[in-house]
């Protein structure tokens, strides 16, 4: 069993506790969306993950998985529904690509973020 050490702060003794996961990697869009989903729909799970220090590794994993899934779905959608010529129809190309990205992100939201 680990012995806890304390430090004196005025009249109080405060335990010297350190976090195990001190990695300072920023959260991306999908990680923040997952955290918001957990806050709103499953706060007990969120609290358990915070206390067990598994929240950020979970959010980083969701972030990486979601990015990879969006990229894979975009490639599949482009293969099935090719984009217009970017040189001659720039606006149509942008509209087409944004539409495909929205479809891919909707699938990721359903499969990963909101589950």
């Amino acid at each position: 069993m680990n012995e806890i050490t304390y430090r004196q702060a005025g009249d109080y003794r405060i335990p010297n506790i350190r976090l195990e996961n001190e990695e300072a990697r920023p959260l991306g869009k999908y990680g923040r969306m997952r955290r918001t989903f957990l806050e709103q729909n499953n706060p007990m799970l969120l609290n358990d993950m915070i206390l067990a220090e598994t929240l950020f590794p979970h959010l980083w994993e969701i972030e990486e998985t979601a990015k990879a899934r969006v990229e894979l779905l975009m490639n599949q959608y482009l293969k099935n529904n090719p984009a217009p010529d970017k040189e001659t129809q720039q606006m149509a190309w942008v509209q087409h690509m944004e539409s495909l990205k929205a479809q891919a992100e909707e699938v990721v939201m359903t499969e990963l973020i909101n589950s």
Side-chain angles (χ1 to χ4, degrees):
M1 193 163 102
N2 294 340
E3 188 171 322
I4 298 176
T5 59
Y6 296 88
R7 61 183 163 87
Q8 192 75 27
D11 293 338
Y12 301 101
R13 292 176 48 110
I14 300 174
N16 294 326
I17 299 174
R18 295 185 51 89
L19 296 175
E20 291 181 22
N21 275 330
E22 291 189 31
E23 188 176 343
R25 191 166 59 173
L27 279 180
K29 172 184 176 180
Y30 302 110
R32 290 190 313 266
M33 291 168 79
R34 176 66 176 168
R35 182 180 179 140
T36 302
F37 174 79
L38 290 174
E39 285 174 354
Q40 294 173 353
N41 297 296
N42 202 343
M44 293 297 292
L45 177 60
L46 178 71
N47 288 336
D48 288 345
M49 293 177 86
I50 289 171
L51 292 174
E53 293 187 34
T54 59
L55 178 64
F56 280 97
H58 170 73
L59 297 177
W60 291 325
E61 180 183 354
I62 291 289
E63 177 73 25
E64 292 171 7
T65 306
K67 281 182 179 178
R69 184 79 171 125
V70 166
E71 187 175 322
L72 176 72
L73 288 171
M74 285 287 293
N75 290 334
Q76 288 176 353
Y77 294 160
L78 271 173
K79 188 188 299 182
N80 294 338
N81 191 6
D85 184 37
K86 187 176 181 180
E87 297 288 324
T88 59
Q89 301 173 326
Q90 291 97 2
M91 292 307 291
W93 182 86
V94 169
Q95 181 181 12
H96 182 75
M97 296 303 285
E98 290 294 325
S99 172
L100 295 181
K101 185 172 182 181
Q103 292 174 27
E105 286 186 339
E106 186 175 336
V107 170
V108 167
M109 287 291 293
T110 304
E111 290 178 352
L112 291 172
I113 309 296
N114 297 336
S115 61

